[in-house]
Amino acid sequence: MAYLAAHPLLAVVVPAALGLVVMAGGRRAVRALKWIAVAGPLATALVGIAWLGGDRAAAAVQADWLAQGGAVMTAGVALDALSAVMLVVVGLVSACVVVFSIGYMAEEDGQARYFSVISLFVGAMALLVTATSLVTLFVAWEVMGACSYLLIGFWYRKPSAADAAMKAFLVTRIGDVGLLFGLALLWRETGTLVIADVLAAAPALGAGVVTAAAALLFAGAVGKSAQFPLHVWLPDAMEGPTPVSALIHAATMVAAGVFLIARMWGLFEVAETVRVAIAAIGAVTALFSAMVAITQTDIKKVLAYSTISQLGFMFVALGAGVWQAALFHLVTHAAFKALLFLGSGSVIHATHTQDVREMGGLARRMPVTAATWCAGALALAGVPPLAGFFSKDAVLHAALGHMPLAGWALALASVLTALYATRVTLLVFFGEPRHDGAPHESPLVMTLPLVALGIGAAGLGAAAGPLAVLWGGEAGLDATVAAISVVASALGIGAGVALYRRGPALDTRLAEKLGGTYAFIAEAYRIDALYDRAVARPVRALARWLADRLDRRGLDRAVEGLPSLAERAGRLVASLQTGETDLYVALMAIGLVALIGVALWMGV
Amino acid sequence: MSGLERLIPEGILIAGAIAVLLSGGARPSPRAGVGLGAAVAALSAIAALVVGTGEPLFSGALVFDDMAVTVRTAIGALSAVYLLWLSAQEPGPERRREAAVFVLLATLGGMLMASARELITLFIALELGTMPAYVLMGYRREDSRGLEGALKYFLLSMTTSLVMLYGMSLLYAASGSTAYDAIGVADPGLLGVFAVLFVFVGLLAKMSAAPFHYWAPDAYAGAPAVSVAFVSTVPKVAGTVAFVRLAAVLMPSVPELGVVFAVASLASIVLGNLAAYPQSDVRRLMAYSGVAHAGYMLLALAAATPAGYAAAVYYTLAYAVPSMAVMLVAAEEGTAVDDLAGLAARRPRHAWMMVAFLLSLIGIPPLVGFFGKLYVFLAAVDAGLVWLVVVAVLASVASAGYYFRLVRSMFFADAPEREAARPGALAGIALALCLTATLLAGAFAGELLGVLGLTF
């Protein structure tokens, strides 16, 4: 174990190497190799466990990577309290996802691709959390983005999956631009991108620089963690296989944004303006996407909006200045959200539908899935003594203490969270069956990961104390906050039971009563359509206009298809005389004159 | 024989070109001829590496510094990969043995261009590199569109060459010399500014930078994709070195050049990336993408620092490899974006390789294109061109849109039923070599840049 703790690079290399092995093995070998792929995330977790369980000595691998002139960019990985915990969470949740996938993907084509990309993805996430320099972090960040593109678009023959993958990639790239500019700014101001050095230099920077850098890094986090206004990719990303959703939207990719801010805390600590913005965006996202989650009929879409909302909770805690609370919630959320996604996968596997209106009464037929799902849903709703209660309490405590407005928004969002969690649980597992066929419990290879995650979702509240020791935060419940939290959960669950006890009829009644408003919420406030109209279409129109003006394709078309050589020769000359070539020469002459003008204007 | 051994790579190319040309008589197989050409190009690359650096030849007309060695090796290797691919096509393009000869001669021109540090030498090397390209672009005699494109390319290229030659004569008039060391120190004055701009117009047009890019989309769209793959990449690497050597000498005496390059860079990046969007022909799309990439290269030049010059050359190399590979796949599959439809189902390995090439062209780490852009942007930011970098970064994000159209097409469900292209195994190896370079060259970015940055 000491060896593992002293070699943090193993957490990255083992899954990545296994990924390459699986890919090299190809279609036939994957039957055996996919079991070996489980070892990748387990190795990642073991490195973290070894460090936490050992003497916690500093273990780092550093190298001067990209030397350019006098400037050196250092690349490296290291373990500390933050990265070790993240490695454990990432490794264990990913291991559950890989085991579950062995059952879930058993009938699919392209399994070699699936398991190798998942392994690479885990390696990238491990690199991200252990990175000691922002360059390393950025590379890991982008590799993960590319892997998520491949995973979301796994069923690439389906146009909607290909589109969703592209959308996830492009929308998160908008945030990445911010991140890249942030890195450039920090590089310019501090002359280094080693995280420790940047943070040491941060307090001495000017207020404007600190605010700008923090805001730019936050933009990257907004994209990756699917916060308003860049959240639009996440619901579409449900086109990927369900275990992929569990991987990307629980422990890994979406957590990267929250992690980035915690990692760069020395910078965000002094950027108070930006923290207010973080809390505001987090609160808005948490509240409004919880509302959307209530209206969804696709079980995965409910979980998608729930994920966006829960990430909003974490961002409010970050904005309030208590990153430990945000990370604690990240840890518990990783467990119970992965559980819920895998549970939904088990249900979809059995019923071959994602529509909750076509489910119902599954608890009798799928007892293990139902029991573990309930543990996850109750944890999501914040019912004591499950894990979600403790971490949500920490978040609420932080928010109410430092930013009361955001805190009360979260309290309201907690009510809605309990409501949609209850709704989806009742519609899927209880009441009268509304499906044809005879769904049955999933095989052991799928239920075992559910049980493992269920234990985590139930018991991770006990981690509050040790984590507080590790990260230097405060542990223990505040009576007032706990009371608010319990009341919120009770209200939400009570309302949910009262409204949805009899099945999904209420949805239709609400839709009729509220008309346009309900549809407006159910379509997630039509933000997608707005983006299409305001951004995508004008850009496309401009590009087409430019191409028409600058690219005289029409003339080329006119010259197609005449037979005889003489005619062709004639037209060859003719086409040169129609002015195309003259025009180009004239345009180039104008360009030359313009450039000379620029040079003269600059003053000779 | 003092120092002439440094010209062994060029000698190998000349001898090899003649051998390939004559190989038709003894052995009728064009495949073998092209394969011989690939071996010759590879040998010249190895020779360039082995011979290494040394003192300049011919009173400084040809230099053999680290940059020359690196770029000559790279050009030779790129040509070798290209010819390797060409030799494996079955049934191959017609008269491809002759095409291999032209490729070797163009490679010779490119190698000389990478070494040239004297105006006349530069001009001769440039024309030696471009003349074979005219022939390659109009290679299908019976295709009137191809001939028209080639003729247009020839006329426009000649016009810019003449403007350039005029500028060179003015430079000579001003300084009394054609050696770089002498023209650099001359006091420019108004005449000097005109002269320098005229010279660079020729080079800007060769690089297909806006506003001198008009020839590229028409010429590429008229030419066979096989030819475009070579003409749009390898000569540009050499052109960038020529650009860098001349700029390093002239920019200190004519500082306005920085602004000129910045303006041309901005125009190229914006126009290239936008105009590429609606294209339905891969050759046209890559032509505009080439305009945009010329813009990034100019951005590094506008920085006017050694780091910028090194970044410019590294960027062109980082662009040339995946760009050539994309065009080679298009040459196998068909030149319309729609021809790529269903490639993932027909030839999954090629489709995934294309994804890697396109991601590199967008600039996604850890592929080589990312490091190319990173160094360009770092150099430009260090030189204070922050706003230009902001535009360039935004444009490079926007570029993901049109590259992804190719990805979409390859992976789109409703592929027309058609026969998969079946080139020989060597073609796959050539593409795999490009893939290896795309994947791994980023890791050696520091070393390469160190070499490129030492001298210019």
Side-chain angles (χ1 to χ4, degrees), chain A residues 66 73 142 149-150 156-157 163 177 188 547 551 560 568 572 575-576 580-581 584-585 588 592 603, chain B residues 142 144-145 148 151-152 156 201 212 218 256 279 284 288 352 365 375 378 381 397 404 407-408 411 413:
Chain A
L66 307 166
M73 284 191 190
E142 291 291 341
Y149 171 79
L150 297 177
Y156 55 78
R157 283 160 218 268
D163 285 346
V177 179
R188 192 164 174 72
D551 177 28
E560 272 174 21
R568 256 185 270 156
L572 193 56
S575 75
L576 288 170
E580 214 172 333
T581 312
Y584 291 158
V585 173
M588 293 205 294
L592 174 62
Chain B
E142 66 289 356
S144 70
R145 265 187 72 182
E148 186 202 324
L151 195 53
K152 247 184 245 169
L156 293 172
V201 163
F212 306 103
D218 278 2
E256 296 85 2
Q279 303 305 331
R284 262 198 141 72
Y288 281 113
W352 289 105
Y375 286 111
L378 283 177
V381 167
V397 174
F404 265 85
V407 176
R408 224 194 109 115
F411 288 90

Side-chain angles (χ1 to χ4, degrees), chain B residues 59-255:
Chain B
S59 331
L62 290 174
V63 294
F64 299 92
D65 52 12
D66 287 305
M67 184 184 270
V69 172
T70 315
V71 173
R72 285 159 79 215
T73 310
I75 292 175
L78 271 171
S79 301
V81 169
Y82 174 79
L83 289 173
L84 182 67
W85 177 89
L86 188 63
S87 75
Q89 298 305 307
E90 202 59 57
E94 52 181 319
R95 288 175 288 123
R96 58 181 150 152
R97 183 176 43 237
E98 290 84 337
V101 176
F102 287 120
V103 166
L104 289 176
L105 291 176
T107 309
L108 172 65
M111 283 198 173
L112 288 174
M113 222 193 304
S115 283
R117 249 182 132 258
E118 195 263 343
L119 290 175
I120 304 296
T121 314
L122 169 69
F123 188 77
I124 291 172
L126 190 67
E127 290 307 311
L128 182 57
T130 319
M131 289 289 177
Y134 301 142
V135 184
L136 288 172
M137 295 299 266
Y139 212 61
R140 282 201 301 253
R141 275 181 302 214
E142 66 289 356
D143 176 7
S144 70
R145 265 187 72 182
L147 283 183
E148 186 202 324
L151 195 53
K152 247 184 245 169
Y153 174 45
F154 173 74
L155 286 175
L156 293 172
S157 185
M158 270 298 151
T159 313
T160 51
S161 284
L162 293 176
V163 173
M164 187 176 167
L165 201 54
Y166 186 46
M168 288 179 172
S169 69
L170 289 179
L171 268 185
Y172 177 70
S175 65
S177 170
T178 55
Y180 281 16
D181 293 324
I183 55 175
V185 290
D187 177 36
L190 195 58
L191 181 69
V193 173
F194 272 85
V196 167
L197 276 175
F198 281 6
V199 171
F200 277 112
V201 163
L203 286 171
L204 283 170
K206 299 279 182 241
M207 303 300 299
S208 76
F212 306 103
H213 66 282
Y214 303 101
W215 60 272
D218 278 2
Y220 289 5
V226 190
S227 304
V228 177
F230 180 81
V231 172
S232 69
T233 51
V234 178
K236 279 194 183 171
V237 176
T240 305
V241 182
F243 219 122
V244 163
R245 289 193 193 279
L246 207 51
V249 172
L250 292 175
M251 281 180 87
S253 49
V254 189

